[in-house]
Amino acid sequence: MNCPHAEAAQAGRNPGVITIDPMVQDLDGETVRLRDAGALARIDLLGVPAWTVTRHAEARQLLVDPRLVKDIDAWGLWRSGVVTRAWPLIGMIDAGRSMFTVDGAEHRRLRTKTSQALTPRRLEAIRPAIEKFTAELLDALDAAQGEDGVVDLKAVFAQPLPMKVVGMLMGVDESQHAMLTRQYKAFFSMLTPQDERLSLLAELDVFYTDLVREKTARPTDDLTSALILAEEGGEPLTEEEVVGNLKAMVAAGHETTIGLVLNAVRALLAHPDQLRLVLDGEIGWDAVIEETLRWDTPTTHLLMRFATEDIAVGDEVIRKGEGVVISYRAIGRDFEQHGPDADAFDITRPTRNRHMTFGHGPHICPGAALSRVEAGIALPALFARFPGLRLAVPDEEITRLPVMTQNDTAAFPVILA
């Protein structure tokens, strides 16, 4: 997993640099170290040096700064050949042309098409389908209990729900959902050899290209067809652009919702007094969702933006060509934004302490509303069906997957009653 380039690897021996652990063995400790390092911290990503922003105010500033761009060709280490496609995280940055990898007018053009395909009206129209999927998966959860009453909440409920939803939106047959889940899991895992990861990316490109061509020939009422057919806002999207948008939206969309649902359940089970407030109707589920998003973000580190000129942030300077990561988990624990109790989960927290877990500025997550709708349906339905839900193991025995960008657990064993 180490970068093969000696020049980049020197960053890991710099005493001022925080190494991001690919095995995610101590996420809480890493979050504290990043936050305590200041608004900007020097980090090492598998041998590659970068900056990360760890504070709310500075992140808001940088996320709207036009001097920070998504274009990988602005990255000095990429242009010089120090970073190549042998680096395990390159697939999250050099991911093809989409709204996630361009800026300015081109970003607005690509994002407009997606917005046309994922409108509030469309989200409201699919609400009954999400409720139906949720009910079916709750039945499956009940049926999947072992003799000891234990069932994996992630595998049976939290993971398939967002894949069913995004599959429906895209027009992907349900028979393909398990394959996509496996592919993305292997892509994000730091245990996957890089040659296998690059092969996975190529296979996903083939899958989405075939899907786009099928929908071009026979459009239906789904997001893929809408992206292909959207005409407002200038030049239509190319096949490559539709493929890029879909590939990234599925990756970000289903992973985010898995984390949101499981992190909310975990937080509530660890704070039974707050769970009681929700079950008694004294606090709404929207407060649970927003506090979970702040306190235990589904995305830990978002890769990556690049400086097109020197940018001063406080006493530090991001030099032209350097990479910048957004560390959303540290940002969510910012004392200045959320108060001295920022490390505490508190669904009664004042609404003035707004988080920015779905981003800010032009690249704010286009699927944020969908993730909130899914969690807003799934969580109350889960606890209404199984009000005695509890962990089947001590909380500290829940292990995290070796994924540097997502806050994901290997499994989530529970007892339903």
Side-chain angles (χ1 to χ4, degrees):
M1 288 177 294
N2 293 325
C3 176
H5 306 288
E7 179 181 344
Q10 292 300 317
R13 291 193 288 272
N14 186 326
V17 171
I18 297 173
T19 298
I20 304 302
D21 179 13
M23 295 296 102
V24 198
Q25 295 176 323
D26 181 18
L27 185 58
D28 286 338
E30 179 180 280
T31 298
V32 171
R33 288 191 294 276
L34 288 169
R35 181 183 59 194
D36 291 350
L40 279 181
R42 280 287 194 180
I43 60 172
D44 174 270
L45 294 169
L46 299 178
V48 170
W51 290 99
T52 189
V53 56
T54 68
R55 304 282 176 81
H56 185 100
E58 286 79 5
R60 283 179 66 90
Q61 170 192 334
L62 289 171
L63 288 171
V64 297
D65 194 320
R67 297 171 295 177
L68 272 183
V69 301
K70 288 281 197 165
D71 183 1
I72 192 174
D73 290 329
W75 192 13
L77 293 177
W78 177 254
R79 291 197 313 271
S80 68
V82 170
V83 173
T84 70
R85 290 190 66 77
W87 187 49
L89 299 175
I90 196 64
M92 299 181 196
I93 304 171
D94 185 27
R97 183 175 174 79
S98 75
M99 64 179 174
F100 299 92
T101 58
V102 298
D103 301 279
E106 278 299 274
H107 171 259
R108 288 191 292 273
R109 170 179 158 266
L110 295 180
R111 189 179 175 98
T112 295
K113 306 300 183 182
T114 305
S115 298
Q116 293 164 5
L118 200 60
T119 62
R121 175 180 288 185
R122 182 179 289 269
L123 291 181
E124 195 57 35
I126 67 172
R127 179 179 287 274
I130 300 175
E131 292 171 345
K132 175 177 177 291
F133 294 153
T134 299
E136 291 172 348
L137 289 171
L138 290 174
D139 288 342
L141 195 65
D142 198 2
Q145 293 181 83
E147 292 184 3
D148 55 1
V150 176
V151 61
D152 185 353
L153 185 66
K154 177 181 178 180
V156 183
F157 182 73
Q159 185 168 270
L161 176 61
M163 185 56 76
K164 280 177 174 286
V165 174
V166 77
M168 175 189 64
L169 281 170
M170 290 170 49
V172 176
D173 189 89
E174 190 166 355
S175 63
Q176 301 295 319
H177 293 182
M179 176 275 294
L180 286 174
T181 298
R182 289 194 303 272
Q183 296 284 74
Y184 279 110
K185 179 179 179 181
F187 168 72
F188 284 116
S189 174
M190 290 296 99
L191 297 179
T192 301
Q194 181 63 357
D195 57 344
E196 291 184 23
R197 184 177 290 106
L198 294 177
S199 294
L200 289 173
L201 285 174
E203 292 171 12
L204 286 170
D205 280 336
V206 170
F207 172 80
Y208 286 114
T209 298
D210 288 347
L211 175 67
V212 169
R213 290 175 181 174
E214 175 189 338
K215 298 297 181 180
T216 300
R218 291 176 293 278
T220 53
D221 183 20
D222 53 56
L223 185 148
T224 304
S225 300
L227 285 175
I228 295 166
L229 299 173
E231 296 180 352
E232 297 85 346
E235 182 182 353
L237 270 64
T238 65
E239 179 179 272
E240 178 192 5
E241 290 167 343
V242 176
V243 168
N245 274 4
L246 291 174
K247 184 169 60 175
M249 286 170 65
V250 175
H254 85 280
E255 286 287 341
T256 297
T257 305
I258 294 169
L260 173 54
V261 170
L262 292 180
N263 294 348
V265 172
R266 187 175 186 179
L268 289 172
L269 294 182
H271 299 83
D273 54 332
Q274 297 188 51
L275 174 58
R276 179 47 52 194
L277 289 176
V278 181
L279 296 182
D280 289 346
E282 297 182 36
I283 297 290
W285 284 101
D286 57 337
V288 174
I289 291 168
E290 298 310 314
E291 179 65 352
T292 300
L293 287 168
R294 178 201 72 81
W295 184 71
D296 202 12
T297 55
T299 299
T300 48
H301 309 290
L302 187 64
L303 313 184
M304 187 185 286
R305 286 169 169 79
F306 311 102
T308 57
E309 57 183 86
D310 290 357
I311 304 172
V313 181
D315 295 331
E316 302 284 3
V317 177
I318 303 168
R319 298 297 180 186
K320 179 180 178 179
E322 291 186 321
V324 179
V325 172
I326 313 297
S327 288
Y328 281 113
R329 198 170 193 272
I331 291 167
R333 305 288 185 96
D334 181 2
F335 293 138
E336 293 183 14
Q337 174 65 20
H338 301 292
D341 64 342
D343 284 329
F345 177 79
D346 181 6
I347 60 175
T348 69
R349 189 176 299 278
T351 56
R352 62 179 172 80
N353 285 331
R354 294 297 187 188
H355 65 81
M356 53 183 292
T357 294
F358 285 120
H360 177 66
H363 283 280
I364 191 169
C365 178
L370 175 61
S371 188
R372 285 182 167 108
V373 168
E374 290 179 68
I377 292 171
L379 289 168
L382 173 66
F383 280 97
R385 179 76 173 267
F386 305 111
L389 179 76
R390 65 186 189 275
L391 290 179
V393 297
D395 182 88
E396 60 272 17
E397 291 184 15
I398 295 179
T399 58
R400 300 186 188 276
L401 286 176
V403 177
M404 295 182 73
T405 53
Q406 270 75 46
N407 183 1
D408 201 354
T409 58
F412 201 92
V414 296
I415 297 174
L416 298 180

